Amino acid sequence: MTATVRTPQAVLYLRSRALPATLAALAGTALLAAWAADWLQGRTGFDHTARVPVLALAPLLAAAAIGTGLFSYTEELDRTAVRPWWPRRLAYLLVLTALAAGALALAVPGHPEQFGAPAMVRNVVGATGVTAAAAAVLGARVSWLPMTVYGGAVYLAAPRTPGGAAAYWAWPMQPGPQAAAWAMAGTAYVVGAALLVLRGPRPER
């Protein structure tokens, strides 16, 4: 009896977040990233570092799809519901993050010690965390903006040599094994997820 009551609520929650459109956007981003990574690495004179633009851009697109998908037309009803909504928010964010990270990691196989799957997973986690925080503070519709601005600035300003202080502020441009970059991305995700789960997306008209 309990299952029959909970299932419609879960379905309604997923429909209110436009889940099919979000999944379609993530699938399209993964396919585009796979094609771009293969094309760039196949160019004459390029090696695995040619995939850096893909590792910088694809997580931004994935995070934007997840962030804008957090918008709900029934946010006021969600906040006044009898049952707490934070478990649904947390599960929704974790599942979409895992799907995006897994799909994009498959787009850049090989060279895990450099700009391969580990760096892609880290960037997806960090970008999604920043976007989740922006959804809670600014609203889901513009949640993509802060990470896009920051990612673009880092892409232009990051030094070519990895490590050092740049591993902290330019973590999206670091190779896979950089512990400091992982720490920054992980912190961004934990903080962003906590804000989103506890507060929900900022209500928008």
Side-chain angles (χ1 to χ4, degrees), residues 19-131:
L19 180 63
T22 302
L23 293 177
L26 292 178
T29 299
L31 292 175
L32 179 62
W35 172 83
D38 181 72
W39 181 79
L40 287 171
Q41 194 169 353
R43 303 286 290 177
T44 304
F46 284 79
D47 56 9
H48 58 274
T49 59
R51 297 181 296 186
V52 170
V54 178
L55 267 80
L57 180 60
L60 298 182
L61 297 176
I66 294 173
T68 54
L70 296 172
F71 176 77
S72 173
Y73 291 98
T74 62
E75 190 61 37
E76 293 183 359
L77 296 177
D78 295 350
R79 294 176 185 274
T80 58
V82 176
R83 295 178 181 272
W85 284 84
W86 71 263
R88 294 177 177 84
R89 294 191 192 113
L90 179 60
Y92 187 82
L93 183 64
L94 290 177
V95 170
L96 286 182
T97 303
L99 288 176
L104 289 178
L106 295 175
V108 285
H111 299 287
E113 74 286 355
Q114 294 295 331
F115 296 98
M120 180 67 85
V121 171
R122 180 202 64 216
N123 286 1
V124 171
V125 168
T128 304
V130 175
T131 302

Side-chain angles (χ1 to χ4, degrees), residues 49 113-115 158-168 170 173-178:
T49 59
E113 74 286 355
Q114 294 295 331
F115 296 98
R160 294 181 178 273
T161 303
Y168 292 94
M173 300 298 295
Q174 299 297 307
Q178 288 291 335

